[in-house]
Coordinates of all heavy atoms in Angstrom, one line a residue:
M1 N 95.4 71.3 128.9 CA 95.0 70.6 127.6 C 94.0 71.5 126.8 O 93.1 72.1 127.4 CB 94.4 69.3 127.9 CG 94.0 68.5 126.6 SD 93.4 66.9 127.0 CE 94.5 66.0 126.0
R2 N 94.2 71.5 125.6 CA 93.4 72.4 124.7 C 92.0 71.8 124.5 O 91.9 70.6 124.3 CB 94.1 72.5 123.4 CG 93.4 73.3 122.3 CD 94.3 73.3 121.1 NE 93.5 73.0 120.0 CZ 93.5 73.7 118.9 NH1 94.1 74.9 118.9 NH2 92.8 73.4 117.8
R3 N 91.0 72.6 124.6 CA 89.6 72.1 124.4 C 89.3 72.1 122.9 O 89.5 73.1 122.2 CB 88.6 73.0 125.2 CG 87.2 72.5 125.0 CD 86.3 73.3 126.0 NE 85.0 72.8 125.8 CZ 84.0 73.5 125.3 NH1 84.1 74.8 125.1 NH2 82.8 73.0 125.2
V4 N 88.8 71.0 122.5 CA 88.4 70.8 121.1 C 86.9 71.2 120.9 O 86.1 70.7 121.7 CB 88.7 69.4 120.6 CG1 88.2 69.2 119.2 CG2 90.1 69.0 120.7
T5 N 86.7 72.1 120.0 CA 85.3 72.5 119.8 C 84.8 71.9 118.4 O 85.6 71.4 117.6 CB 85.1 74.0 119.7 OG1 85.9 74.5 118.6 CG2 85.7 74.7 121.0
E6 N 83.5 72.1 118.2 CA 83.0 71.6 116.9 C 83.6 72.3 115.7 O 83.6 71.8 114.6 CB 81.4 71.8 116.9 CG 80.7 70.8 117.9 CD 79.2 71.0 117.9 OE1 78.7 71.6 116.9 OE2 78.6 70.6 118.8
N7 N 84.0 73.5 115.9 CA 84.6 74.3 114.8 C 86.0 74.1 114.5 O 86.6 74.6 113.6 CB 84.3 75.8 115.0 CG 82.9 76.1 115.0 OD1 82.1 75.5 114.4 ND2 82.5 77.1 115.8
T8 N 86.7 73.3 115.4 CA 88.1 73.0 115.2 C 88.3 72.1 113.9 O 87.6 71.2 113.7 CB 88.7 72.2 116.4 OG1 88.5 73.0 117.6 CG2 90.2 72.0 116.2
S9 N 89.2 72.5 113.1 CA 89.4 71.8 111.9 C 90.9 71.4 111.7 O 91.8 72.1 112.3 CB 89.0 72.7 110.7 OG 89.2 72.1 109.5
L10 N 91.1 70.4 110.9 CA 92.5 70.0 110.6 C 92.5 69.4 109.2 O 91.9 68.4 108.9 CB 92.9 68.9 111.6 CG 94.4 68.4 111.5 CD1 95.4 69.5 111.8 CD2 94.6 67.3 112.6
D11 N 93.2 70.1 108.3 CA 93.3 69.7 107.0 C 94.6 70.2 106.3 O 94.8 71.4 106.3 CB 92.1 70.2 106.2 CG 91.9 69.6 104.8 OD1 92.5 68.6 104.5 OD2 91.3 70.3 104.0
G12 N 95.4 69.3 105.9 CA 96.6 69.8 105.2 C 97.7 68.7 105.2 O 97.5 67.6 105.7
W13 N 98.9 69.1 104.7 CA 100.0 68.1 104.5 C 101.2 68.6 105.3 O 101.5 69.8 105.4 CB 100.4 68.1 103.0 CG 99.4 67.5 102.1 CD1 98.3 68.0 101.6 CD2 99.5 66.1 101.6 NE1 97.7 67.1 100.7 CE2 98.4 66.0 100.8 CE3 100.3 65.1 101.8 CZ2 98.1 64.8 100.1 CZ3 100.1 63.9 101.2 CH2 99.0 63.7 100.3
L14 N 101.9 67.6 105.9 CA 103.2 67.8 106.5 C 104.3 67.0 105.8 O 103.9 65.9 105.3 CB 103.2 67.4 108.0 CG 102.2 68.2 108.9 CD1 102.3 67.6 110.3 CD2 102.5 69.7 108.9
I15 N 105.5 67.4 105.8 CA 106.6 66.6 105.3 C 107.7 66.5 106.4 O 107.9 67.4 107.1 CB 107.2 67.3 104.0 CG1 108.2 66.3 103.3 CG2 107.8 68.6 104.3 CD1 108.4 66.6 101.9
S16 N 108.3 65.3 106.4 CA 109.3 65.0 107.4 C 110.5 65.8 107.2 O 110.8 66.3 106.1 CB 109.7 63.5 107.3 OG 110.3 63.2 106.1
P17 N 111.3 66.0 108.3 CA 112.6 66.8 108.2 C 113.5 66.2 107.1 O 114.2 67.0 106.4 CB 113.2 66.7 109.5 CG 112.0 66.3 110.5 CD 111.1 65.5 109.6
E18 N 113.5 64.9 106.9 CA 114.4 64.3 105.9 C 113.8 64.4 104.5 O 114.5 64.2 103.5 CB 114.6 62.8 106.2 CG 115.3 62.6 107.5 CD 114.3 62.6 108.7 OE1 113.0 62.4 108.4 OE2 114.7 62.8 109.8
G19 N 112.5 64.7 104.4 CA 111.8 64.9 103.1 C 111.4 63.6 102.4 O 111.0 63.6 101.3
N20 N 111.4 62.5 103.2 CA 111.0 61.2 102.5 C 109.6 60.7 102.8 O 109.2 59.8 102.3 CB 112.0 60.1 102.9 CG 112.2 60.0 104.4 OD1 111.8 60.9 105.2 ND2 112.8 58.9 104.9
W21 N 108.9 61.4 103.7 CA 107.5 61.0 104.1 C 106.7 62.3 104.1 O 107.1 63.3 104.6 CB 107.4 60.4 105.5 CG 108.1 59.1 105.5 CD1 109.3 58.8 106.2 CD2 107.8 57.8 104.9 NE1 109.7 57.5 106.0 CE2 108.7 56.9 105.3 CE3 106.7 57.4 104.2 CZ2 108.6 55.5 104.8 CZ3 106.6 56.1 103.7 CH2 107.6 55.2 104.1
C22 N 105.4 62.1 103.7 CA 104.4 63.1 103.8 C 103.2 62.5 104.6 O 102.9 61.3 104.5 CB 103.8 63.5 102.4 SG 105.0 64.4 101.3
Y23 N 102.6 63.4 105.4 CA 101.4 63.0 106.1 C 100.3 63.9 105.7 O 100.5 65.2 105.6 CB 101.5 63.0 107.6 CG 102.1 61.8 108.2 CD1 103.4 61.4 108.0 CD2 101.3 60.9 109.0 CE1 103.9 60.2 108.5 CE2 101.8 59.8 109.6 CZ 103.1 59.4 109.3 OH 103.6 58.3 109.9
R24 N 99.1 63.4 105.4 CA 97.9 64.2 105.1 C 96.9 64.0 106.2 O 96.6 62.9 106.5 CB 97.3 63.8 103.7 CG 96.1 64.6 103.4 CD 95.4 64.2 102.1 NE 94.3 65.1 101.8 CZ 93.3 64.7 101.1 NH1 93.2 63.5 100.5 NH2 92.3 65.6 100.9
F25 N 96.5 65.1 106.7 CA 95.4 65.2 107.7 C 94.2 65.7 107.0 O 94.2 66.8 106.5 CB 95.8 66.1 108.9 CG 96.9 65.6 109.7 CD1 98.3 65.8 109.3 CD2 96.7 64.9 110.9 CE1 99.3 65.3 110.0 CE2 97.8 64.5 111.6 CZ 99.1 64.7 111.2
H26 N 93.1 65.0 107.1 CA 91.8 65.4 106.5 C 90.6 64.8 107.2 O 90.7 63.7 107.6 CB 91.8 65.2 104.9 CG 92.0 63.8 104.5 ND1 91.0 63.0 104.0 CD2 93.1 63.0 104.6 CE1 91.5 61.8 103.8 NE2 92.8 61.8 104.1
R27 N 89.5 65.6 107.3 CA 88.4 65.2 108.0 C 87.6 64.0 107.3 O 87.6 64.0 106.1 CB 87.4 66.4 108.1 CG 86.3 66.1 109.0 CD 85.4 67.3 109.1 NE 84.4 67.1 110.1 CZ 84.2 67.7 111.2 NH1 85.0 68.8 111.5 NH2 83.3 67.4 112.1
D28 N 87.1 63.1 108.1 CA 86.3 62.0 107.6 C 84.9 62.6 107.3 O 84.3 63.1 108.2 CB 86.2 60.9 108.7 CG 85.2 59.8 108.3 OD1 84.7 59.8 107.2 OD2 84.9 59.0 109.2
P29 N 84.6 62.6 106.0 CA 83.3 63.3 105.6 C 82.1 62.5 106.2 O 81.0 63.1 106.3 CB 83.3 63.2 104.1 CG 84.2 62.1 103.8 CD 85.3 62.1 104.9
K30 N 82.2 61.3 106.6 CA 81.1 60.5 107.2 C 81.1 60.6 108.7 O 80.2 60.1 109.3 CB 81.3 59.0 106.8 CG 81.1 58.8 105.3 CD 81.3 57.3 105.0 CE 81.2 57.1 103.5 NZ 81.4 55.7 103.1
G31 N 82.0 61.4 109.3 CA 82.1 61.5 110.7 C 81.0 62.4 111.2 O 80.5 63.3 110.5
W32 N 80.5 62.2 112.4 CA 79.5 63.0 113.0 C 80.1 64.4 113.4 O 81.2 64.5 113.7 CB 79.0 62.4 114.3 CG 78.2 61.1 114.1 CD1 78.0 60.5 112.9 CD2 77.6 60.3 115.0 NE1 77.3 59.3 113.1 CE2 77.0 59.2 114.4 CE3 77.4 60.4 116.4 CZ2 76.3 58.2 115.1 CZ3 76.7 59.5 117.1 CH2 76.1 58.4 116.4
Q33 N 79.2 65.4 113.3 CA 79.7 66.7 113.6 C 80.1 66.8 115.1 O 81.1 67.5 115.4 CB 78.5 67.7 113.4 CG 78.9 69.2 113.6 CD 79.8 69.7 112.6 OE1 80.0 69.2 111.5 NE2 80.5 70.8 112.9
R34 N 79.4 66.2 115.9 CA 79.8 66.3 117.4 C 81.0 65.4 117.7 O 81.7 65.7 118.7 CB 78.5 65.9 118.2 CG 78.7 66.2 119.6 CD 77.4 66.1 120.3 NE 77.7 66.4 121.7 CZ 76.7 66.8 122.6 NH1 75.5 66.9 122.1 NH2 77.0 67.0 123.8
Y35 N 81.2 64.3 117.0 CA 82.4 63.5 117.3 C 83.2 63.3 116.0 O 83.2 62.2 115.4 CB 81.9 62.1 117.8 CG 81.0 62.2 119.0 CD1 79.7 62.0 118.9 CD2 81.6 62.4 120.2 CE1 78.9 62.1 120.1 CE2 80.8 62.6 121.4 CZ 79.5 62.4 121.3 OH 78.7 62.5 122.4
P36 N 83.9 64.4 115.6 CA 84.6 64.3 114.3 C 85.9 63.4 114.4 O 86.5 63.3 115.4 CB 85.0 65.7 114.1 CG 85.1 66.4 115.4 CD 84.0 65.6 116.3
F37 N 86.1 62.8 113.3 CA 87.3 61.9 113.1 C 88.1 62.5 111.9 O 87.6 63.1 111.0 CB 87.0 60.5 112.8 CG 86.6 59.7 114.1 CD1 85.3 59.7 114.5 CD2 87.5 59.0 114.7 CE1 85.0 59.0 115.7 CE2 87.2 58.3 115.9 CZ 85.9 58.3 116.4
I38 N 89.4 62.3 112.0 CA 90.4 62.7 111.0 C 91.1 61.5 110.4 O 91.6 60.7 111.2 CB 91.4 63.7 111.7 CG1 90.7 64.9 112.3 CG2 92.5 64.1 110.7 CD1 90.0 65.8 111.4
F39 N 91.2 61.5 109.1 CA 92.0 60.5 108.5 C 93.5 61.1 108.4 O 93.7 62.2 108.1 CB 91.6 60.3 107.0 CG 90.4 59.5 106.9 CD1 89.3 60.0 106.2 CD2 90.2 58.2 107.4 CE1 88.1 59.2 106.0 CE2 89.1 57.4 107.3 CZ 88.0 58.0 106.6
V40 N 94.4 60.2 108.8 CA 95.8 60.6 108.7 C 96.5 59.6 107.8 O 96.6 58.4 108.1 CB 96.5 60.5 110.1 CG1 97.9 60.9 110.0 CG2 95.7 61.4 111.1
D41 N 96.9 60.1 106.6 CA 97.5 59.2 105.5 C 99.0 59.4 105.5 O 99.4 60.5 105.5 CB 96.9 59.6 104.2 CG 95.4 59.5 104.1 OD1 94.8 58.7 104.9 OD2 94.8 60.1 103.2
K42 N 99.7 58.3 105.5 CA 101.1 58.3 105.4 C 101.5 58.0 103.9 O 101.1 57.0 103.4 CB 101.8 57.3 106.3 CG 103.3 57.3 106.2 CD 103.9 56.2 107.2 CE 105.4 56.2 107.2 NZ 105.9 55.2 108.1
W43 N 102.3 58.9 103.3 CA 102.7 58.8 101.9 C 104.2 58.8 101.8 O 104.9 59.5 102.5 CB 102.2 60.0 101.1 CG 100.7 60.0 100.9 CD1 99.8 60.4 101.8 CD2 100.0 59.7 99.7 NE1 98.5 60.3 101.3 CE2 98.6 59.9 100.0 CE3 100.4 59.2 98.5 CZ2 97.7 59.7 99.0 CZ3 99.4 59.0 97.5 CH2 98.1 59.2 97.8
E44 N 104.8 58.0 100.8 CA 106.2 58.2 100.4 C 106.2 59.5 99.7 O 105.3 59.9 99.0 CB 106.6 57.1 99.5 CG 106.9 55.8 100.2 CD 107.4 54.7 99.3 OE1 107.7 55.0 98.1 OE2 107.6 53.6 99.7
A45 N 107.3 60.3 99.8 CA 107.5 61.6 99.2 C 108.5 61.5 98.0 O 109.5 60.8 98.1 CB 107.9 62.6 100.2
M46 N 108.2 62.2 97.0 CA 109.1 62.4 95.9 C 110.2 63.4 96.3 O 110.0 64.1 97.2 CB 108.4 62.9 94.6 CG 107.3 61.9 94.2 SD 107.9 60.4 93.5 CE 108.5 61.0 91.9
P47 N 111.3 63.5 95.5 CA 112.4 64.4 95.9 C 111.9 65.9 95.9 O 112.4 66.7 96.7 CB 113.4 64.3 94.7 CG 113.2 62.8 94.3 CD 111.7 62.6 94.5
D48 N 110.8 66.2 95.1 CA 110.3 67.6 95.2 C 109.3 67.8 96.3 O 108.7 68.9 96.4 CB 109.6 67.9 93.8 CG 108.3 67.1 93.5 OD1 108.0 66.2 94.3 OD2 107.7 67.4 92.5
G49 N 109.0 66.7 97.1 CA 108.1 66.9 98.3 C 106.7 66.5 98.0 O 105.9 66.5 98.9
S50 N 106.4 66.1 96.8 CA 105.0 65.7 96.4 C 104.8 64.2 96.9 O 105.8 63.4 96.8 CB 104.7 65.9 94.9 OG 105.6 65.1 94.2
P51 N 103.6 63.9 97.2 CA 103.3 62.5 97.6 C 103.3 61.6 96.4 O 102.9 62.0 95.3 CB 101.9 62.6 98.2 CG 101.3 63.8 97.7 CD 102.4 64.7 97.3
S52 N 103.8 60.3 96.6 CA 103.9 59.4 95.5 C 103.1 58.1 95.7 O 102.5 57.7 94.8 CB 105.4 59.1 95.2 OG 106.0 58.4 96.2
L53 N 103.1 57.6 96.9 CA 102.4 56.3 97.1 C 102.0 56.2 98.6 O 102.8 56.4 99.5 CB 103.4 55.1 96.9 CG 102.8 53.7 97.1 CD1 101.7 53.4 96.1 CD2 104.0 52.7 96.9
M54 N 100.7 56.1 98.8 CA 100.1 56.0 100.1 C 100.5 54.6 100.7 O 100.3 53.6 100.1 CB 98.6 56.1 100.1 CG 98.0 56.3 101.5 SD 96.4 56.9 101.5 CE 95.5 55.4 101.9
K55 N 101.0 54.7 102.0 CA 101.5 53.5 102.7 C 100.5 53.1 103.8 O 100.4 51.9 104.1 CB 102.8 53.7 103.3 CG 103.9 53.9 102.3 CD 104.1 52.6 101.5 CE 105.4 52.5 100.7 NZ 105.5 51.2 100.1
K56 N 99.8 54.1 104.4 CA 99.0 53.7 105.5 C 97.9 54.8 105.8 O 98.2 56.0 105.5 CB 99.9 53.6 106.8 CG 99.2 53.3 108.1 CD 100.2 53.3 109.2 CE 99.6 53.2 110.5 NZ 100.5 53.3 111.7
R57 N 96.8 54.4 106.2 CA 95.7 55.3 106.6 C 95.3 54.9 108.1 O 95.0 53.8 108.4 CB 94.5 55.2 105.7 CG 93.3 56.0 106.3 CD 92.2 56.2 105.3 NE 92.6 57.3 104.4 CZ 91.8 57.7 103.4 NH1 90.7 57.1 103.1 NH2 92.2 58.7 102.6
S58 N 95.2 56.0 108.9 CA 94.7 55.8 110.3 C 93.5 56.7 110.4 O 93.4 57.8 109.7 CB 95.8 56.2 111.3 OG 96.9 55.5 111.2
K59 N 92.6 56.4 111.3 CA 91.4 57.2 111.6 C 91.5 57.5 113.1 O 91.4 56.6 113.9 CB 90.2 56.5 111.2 CG 88.9 57.2 111.3 CD 87.7 56.4 110.9 CE 86.4 57.1 111.0 NZ 85.3 56.3 110.6
L60 N 91.6 58.8 113.4 CA 91.8 59.3 114.8 C 90.7 60.3 115.2 O 90.3 61.0 114.3 CB 93.2 59.9 115.0 CG 94.4 59.1 114.7 CD1 95.6 60.0 114.8 CD2 94.5 57.9 115.6
P61 N 90.3 60.3 116.4 CA 89.5 61.3 116.9 C 90.2 62.7 116.7 O 91.5 62.7 116.7 CB 89.3 61.0 118.4 CG 89.7 59.6 118.6 CD 90.7 59.3 117.5
L62 N 89.5 63.7 116.6 CA 90.0 65.0 116.3 C 91.1 65.4 117.3 O 92.2 65.9 116.9 CB 88.9 66.1 116.2 CG 89.4 67.5 116.0 CD1 90.1 67.7 114.7 CD2 88.2 68.5 116.0
D63 N 90.8 65.3 118.6 CA 91.8 65.7 119.6 C 93.1 64.9 119.5 O 94.2 65.5 119.6 CB 91.2 65.6 121.0 CG 90.7 64.2 121.4 OD1 90.5 63.4 120.5 OD2 90.6 63.9 122.6
E64 N 93.1 63.6 119.2 CA 94.3 62.9 119.0 C 95.1 63.3 117.7 O 96.3 63.3 117.7 CB 94.0 61.4 119.0 CG 93.5 60.8 120.3 CD 93.3 59.3 120.2 OE1 93.9 58.6 119.3 OE2 92.4 58.8 121.0
A65 N 94.3 63.6 116.7 CA 95.0 64.0 115.4 C 95.6 65.4 115.6 O 96.7 65.6 115.1 CB 93.9 64.1 114.3
L66 N 95.0 66.3 116.4 CA 95.6 67.6 116.7 C 96.9 67.4 117.5 O 97.9 68.1 117.2 CB 94.6 68.5 117.4 CG 93.5 69.0 116.6 CD1 92.4 69.7 117.5 CD2 94.0 70.1 115.6
E67 N 96.9 66.5 118.4 CA 98.0 66.3 119.3 C 99.2 65.7 118.4 O 100.3 66.1 118.5 CB 97.7 65.3 120.4 CG 98.9 65.1 121.3 CD 98.5 64.2 122.5 OE1 97.3 63.9 122.7 OE2 99.4 63.9 123.3
L68 N 98.8 64.7 117.6 CA 99.8 64.2 116.7 C 100.5 65.2 115.7 O 101.7 65.3 115.6 CB 99.2 63.0 115.8 CG 100.1 62.4 114.8 CD1 101.3 61.7 115.4 CD2 99.3 61.4 113.9
C69 N 99.6 66.0 115.1 CA 100.1 67.1 114.2 C 101.0 68.0 115.0 O 102.1 68.4 114.5 CB 98.9 67.8 113.6 SG 99.4 69.1 112.4
G70 N 100.6 68.5 116.2 CA 101.4 69.4 117.0 C 102.7 68.8 117.3 O 103.8 69.5 117.2
N71 N 102.8 67.5 117.7 CA 104.0 66.9 118.1 C 104.9 66.8 116.9 O 106.2 66.9 117.0 CB 103.8 65.5 118.7 CG 103.2 65.6 120.1 OD1 103.4 66.6 120.8 ND2 102.5 64.6 120.5
M72 N 104.3 66.5 115.7 CA 105.2 66.4 114.5 C 105.8 67.7 114.2 O 107.0 67.7 113.8 CB 104.3 65.8 113.3 CG 103.9 64.4 113.5 SD 102.7 63.8 112.3 CE 103.7 63.5 110.9
L73 N 105.0 68.8 114.3 CA 105.6 70.1 114.0 C 106.7 70.4 115.0 O 107.8 71.0 114.6 CB 104.5 71.2 114.1 CG 103.5 71.1 112.9 CD1 102.3 72.0 113.2 CD2 104.1 71.5 111.6
L74 N 106.6 70.1 116.3 CA 107.6 70.3 117.2 C 108.9 69.5 116.9 O 110.0 69.9 117.3 CB 107.1 70.0 118.7 CG 106.1 70.9 119.2 CD1 105.5 70.4 120.6 CD2 106.7 72.3 119.4
D75 N 108.7 68.3 116.3 CA 109.8 67.5 116.0 C 110.5 67.8 114.6 O 111.3 67.1 114.2 CB 109.3 66.0 115.9 CG 109.0 65.4 117.3 OD1 109.5 66.0 118.3 OD2 108.3 64.4 117.3
G76 N 110.1 68.9 114.0 CA 110.8 69.4 112.8 C 110.0 69.2 111.5 O 110.5 69.5 110.5
W77 N 108.8 68.6 111.6 CA 108.0 68.4 110.3 C 107.6 69.8 109.9 O 107.4 70.7 110.7 CB 106.8 67.5 110.6 CG 107.2 66.1 110.8 CD1 107.9 65.6 111.8 CD2 106.9 65.0 109.9 NE1 108.0 64.2 111.7 CE2 107.4 63.8 110.5 CE3 106.2 64.9 108.7 CZ2 107.2 62.6 109.9 CZ3 106.0 63.7 108.2 CH2 106.6 62.5 108.7
K78 N 107.4 70.0 108.6 CA 107.0 71.3 108.0 C 105.7 71.2 107.3 O 105.4 70.1 106.7 CB 108.1 71.8 107.0 CG 109.5 71.9 107.6 CD 109.5 73.1 108.6 CE 111.0 73.3 109.1 NZ 111.0 74.0 110.3
K79 N 105.0 72.2 107.3 CA 103.7 72.3 106.4 C 104.2 72.4 105.0 O 105.1 73.2 104.7 CB 102.9 73.5 106.8 CG 102.3 73.3 108.2 CD 101.4 74.5 108.5 CE 100.8 74.4 109.9 NZ 100.0 75.6 110.3
L80 N 103.5 71.7 104.1 CA 103.8 71.8 102.7 C 103.1 73.1 102.2 O 101.9 73.3 102.5 CB 103.4 70.6 101.9 CG 104.3 69.4 102.0 CD1 103.6 68.2 101.4 CD2 105.6 69.7 101.4
E81 N 103.8 73.9 101.4 CA 103.1 75.0 100.8 C 102.1 74.6 99.8 O 101.0 75.2 99.7 CB 104.2 75.9 100.0 CG 105.2 76.6 101.0 CD 104.5 77.5 101.9 OE1 103.6 78.3 101.5 OE2 104.9 77.5 103.1
T82 N 102.4 73.6 98.9 CA 101.4 73.1 98.0 C 100.6 72.0 98.7 O 101.1 71.1 99.3 CB 102.1 72.4 96.8 OG1 103.0 73.3 96.2 CG2 101.2 71.9 95.8
Q83 N 99.3 72.2 98.6 CA 98.3 71.3 99.2 C 97.8 70.4 98.1 O 97.1 70.9 97.2 CB 97.2 72.0 100.0 CG 97.8 72.8 101.2 CD 98.4 72.0 102.2 OE1 97.8 71.1 102.8 NE2 99.7 72.2 102.5
F84 N 98.0 69.1 98.2 CA 97.6 68.2 97.2 C 96.2 67.6 97.5 O 96.1 66.6 98.1 CB 98.6 67.0 97.1 CG 100.0 67.5 96.8 CD1 100.9 67.7 97.9 CD2 100.5 67.8 95.5 CE1 102.2 68.2 97.7 CE2 101.8 68.3 95.3 CZ 102.6 68.5 96.4
D85 N 95.2 68.3 97.2 CA 93.8 68.0 97.5 C 93.3 66.8 96.7 O 92.4 66.1 97.2 CB 92.9 69.1 97.4 CG 93.2 70.2 98.4 OD1 93.7 69.8 99.5 OD2 92.9 71.4 98.1
D86 N 93.7 66.7 95.5 CA 93.1 65.7 94.6 C 94.1 64.5 94.3 O 94.1 64.0 93.2 CB 92.6 66.3 93.3 CG 93.7 67.0 92.5 OD1 94.8 67.1 93.1 OD2 93.5 67.5 91.4
V87 N 94.9 64.1 95.2 CA 95.8 63.0 95.0 C 95.0 61.7 94.8 O 94.1 61.4 95.6 CB 96.7 62.8 96.3 CG1 97.6 61.6 96.1 CG2 97.6 64.1 96.4
S88 N 95.3 61.0 93.8 CA 94.6 59.8 93.5 C 95.6 58.7 93.6 O 96.7 58.8 93.2 CB 93.9 59.8 92.1 OG 94.9 60.0 91.2
D89 N 95.1 57.6 94.2 CA 96.0 56.4 94.4 C 95.1 55.2 94.1 O 94.0 55.1 94.7 CB 96.5 56.4 95.8 CG 97.5 55.2 96.0 OD1 97.1 54.1 96.0 OD2 98.7 55.6 96.2
P90 N 95.5 54.3 93.3 CA 94.7 53.1 93.0 C 94.4 52.2 94.2 O 93.4 51.5 94.1 CB 95.5 52.4 91.9 CG 96.9 52.9 92.0 CD 96.8 54.3 92.6
Y91 N 95.2 52.3 95.2 CA 95.0 51.5 96.4 C 94.3 52.2 97.5 O 94.1 51.6 98.6 CB 96.3 51.0 96.9 CG 97.1 50.2 95.8 CD1 98.2 50.8 95.1 CD2 96.7 48.9 95.4 CE1 98.8 50.1 94.1 CE2 97.4 48.3 94.4 CZ 98.4 48.9 93.8 OH 99.1 48.2 92.8
L92 N 93.8 53.4 97.2 CA 93.1 54.2 98.3 C 91.9 53.4 98.9 O 91.7 53.4 100.1 CB 92.7 55.5 97.7 CG 92.2 56.5 98.7 CD1 93.2 56.8 99.7 CD2 91.8 57.8 98.0
E93 N 91.1 52.8 98.1 CA 90.0 52.0 98.6 C 90.3 51.0 99.6 O 89.6 50.7 100.5 CB 89.2 51.4 97.4 CG 88.5 52.5 96.6 CD 87.5 53.3 97.3 OE1 86.7 52.7 98.2 OE2 87.5 54.5 97.1
K94 N 91.5 50.4 99.4 CA 92.0 49.3 100.3 C 92.2 49.8 101.7 O 92.0 49.1 102.7 CB 93.3 48.7 99.7 CG 93.9 47.7 100.6 CD 95.1 47.0 99.9 CE 96.3 47.8 100.1 NZ 97.5 47.2 99.7
F95 N 92.5 51.1 101.8 CA 92.8 51.7 103.1 C 91.6 52.4 103.7 O 91.7 52.9 104.8 CB 94.0 52.7 103.0 CG 95.3 52.0 102.7 CD1 95.8 52.1 101.4 CD2 96.0 51.4 103.6 CE1 97.0 51.4 101.1 CE2 97.2 50.8 103.3 CZ 97.7 50.8 102.0
A96 N 90.6 52.6 103.0 CA 89.4 53.3 103.5 C 88.8 52.6 104.7 O 88.8 51.4 104.8 CB 88.3 53.4 102.4
A97 N 88.5 53.4 105.7 CA 88.0 52.8 106.9 C 86.5 52.5 106.8 O 85.8 52.9 106.1 CB 88.2 53.8 108.1

């Protein structure tokens, strides 16, 4: 098993093999440095691969988020070339942890 260190980071977007879902992995800014957490947001995807509507937010420890991301990549998910850092959604507050 891979050892997670304080410097390990996870930030970016994946798209499903079918192109209908996007997942965003990004660090919880309120998380402790020693016990980092990652937000994993599930979005519906537009035909061009851009996110359109956030459906779900999960908050995972860094090691679980890394395992999820790795498994998704092994299952055929792809990293998006365009990283949508400033996606705004009116319902985002509802999903905030």
